[in-house]
Amino acid sequence: MATTVGVIGGGQLARMMIPAAVNLGIDIRVLAEADGMAAGLAASTVGDYRDREVVLAFAETVDVITFDHEHVPQEILRAMVERGVRVHPGPDALLYAQDKLLMRQRLSDLGLPVPDWARVENAAQLAEFLGTHGGRAVVKTPRGGYDGKGVRLVRGEHEVDDWFASLASDPNGGDPNGGALLVEELVEFTRELAQVVARRPSGEVVAWPVVETVQRDGVCAEVIAPAPGSAGRIADVAADIAFAVAEGIGVTGVLAVELFETTDERVLINELAMRPHNSGHWSIDGSTTSQFEQHLRAVLDLPLGGTGARDDWSVMVNILGGPSSGSLIDRYAGALAEHPTVKVHNYGKDPRPGRKIGHVTAGGDNLDDVMYEARATAAFFQD
Ligand code: ADP
């Protein structure tokens, strides 16, 4: 049986796959972009994931290829598949995590609920969309955005002229969308949800409880599992949507579907991530099977693990930026003594404003207490 998994990308998602691989006795090798990255302790290659030869040579050393991020170019993904490498998720699925315009089109074709959207190539087309959507809209660069970068709320058709210009004159081999942008209705949402599921190549799918995600400045700050008040309709709707995406697009491995719960009680799809996701970190401590173990099981086409919650409530709080001086470990004496039931996850990254350098997860049967524990612990690491 195939037992060596190669992960392209050396970030914290690859890092958190390592203990899961060790526990299952699976070899894990990482292609890291640089020395000293979060997943450096499993890095067998340091190189550029956009370099075809680097990636193909790395793929030769493993049984299955998977990812810490979605940025490996399609041409390289397809070259691996042509050489018989097992790539999960495959290029045909990953395309929709790489390009938000293609994603919106595909989800619309599948009849799944998405915000009103359009492809716009110039200010005149944007003006037309604004005219039919109350004069406000959200414009997104189709590729390369993350943590809110590449997302802009606009009230006038000239507010993204810089993006039209820079994409149309992209010096790095051209923008596959020819400078076009995605424009969406400004969704009036009461909260953001995320539904994480996993799917094996042979078809088995499982879902964790739907969670509520809280973003600050476009970055995920907190996750509550399950989303309060979600038992029943919302849980079913969210799981059905994510299963339809996983099956409709043929995703293998973990899939996170970011959702909006709207003021008129609809659930709309915002984004897709085809890898373990920040909204699933709580599962390491809070679920029978963590999303990282599940991802390995799924990409190896092994039976999937239970997705039930260990506690009534789990709350995950990101450590964003970190302490103004010293490292996370310098704060352990206080944090661990005060909060012995909270689990601290340190990605081994240097503190830097806004950077995700770790997270904490608390669990229990009273949401207020669990929330307090998680926030108070995270506060030890941020000042
Ligand atoms: P990224 O790829 O950077 O994570 P997203 O597309 O997820 O970008 O958008 C980041 C955040 O911007 C979302 O979490 C949400 O808070 C807000 N947002 C995105 N699209 C819309 C929309 N159509 N209406 C309202 N808010 C939106």
Side-chain angles (χ1 to χ4, degrees), residues 100 140 146-148 151 184-185 187 192 258 260 270-271:
K100 291 179 183 180
K140 302 182 179 181
Y146 65 96
D147 287 348
V151 175
E184 297 178 353
E185 67 174 298
V187 176
E192 295 187 64
E258 296 179 16
F260 297 125
N270 177 28
E271 266 250 81

Side-chain angles (χ1 to χ4, degrees), residues 32-52:
E33 292 83 348
D35 285 322
M37 289 190 68
L41 60 163
S44 61
T45 306
V46 173
D48 187 347
Y49 60 81
R50 293 162 301 189
D51 183 327
R52 183 189 157 97

Side-chain angles (χ1 to χ4, degrees), residues 70 100 103-104 115-116 137-141 144-153 182-189 192 213-220 258-260 268-272 277:
E70 41 268 323
K100 291 179 183 180
M103 181 264 289
R104 280 281 177 262
D116 265 352
V138 176
V139 179
K140 302 182 179 181
T141 53
Y146 65 96
D147 287 348
K149 294 175 185 67
V151 175
R152 209 178 277 174
L153 168 63
L182 168 65
V183 60
E184 297 178 353
E185 67 174 298
L186 175 66
V187 176
E188 310 243 350
F189 59 83
E192 295 187 64
T213 65
V214 180
Q215 332 285 324
R216 290 199 195 102
D217 300 325
V219 181
C220 175
E258 296 179 16
L259 301 161
F260 297 125
L268 302 176
I269 302 173
N270 177 28
E271 266 250 81
L272 307 180
H277 186 251

Side-chain angles (χ1 to χ4, degrees), residues 87-109:
V87 179
H88 293 298
D92 292 337
L94 212 46
L95 189 57
Y96 301 107
Q98 294 179 324
D99 190 309
K100 291 179 183 180
L101 269 171
L102 293 176
M103 181 264 289
R104 280 281 177 262
Q105 183 63 58
R106 184 81 176 107
L107 297 179
S108 300
D109 292 347

Side-chain angles (χ1 to χ4, degrees), residues 193-197 238 241-243 245-246 255-259 268-273 277 279:
L193 305 171
Q195 177 65 65
V196 183
V197 298
I241 288 173
F243 286 150
V245 173
L255 164 73
V257 182
E258 296 179 16
L259 301 161
L268 302 176
I269 302 173
N270 177 28
E271 266 250 81
L272 307 180
H277 186 251
S279 63

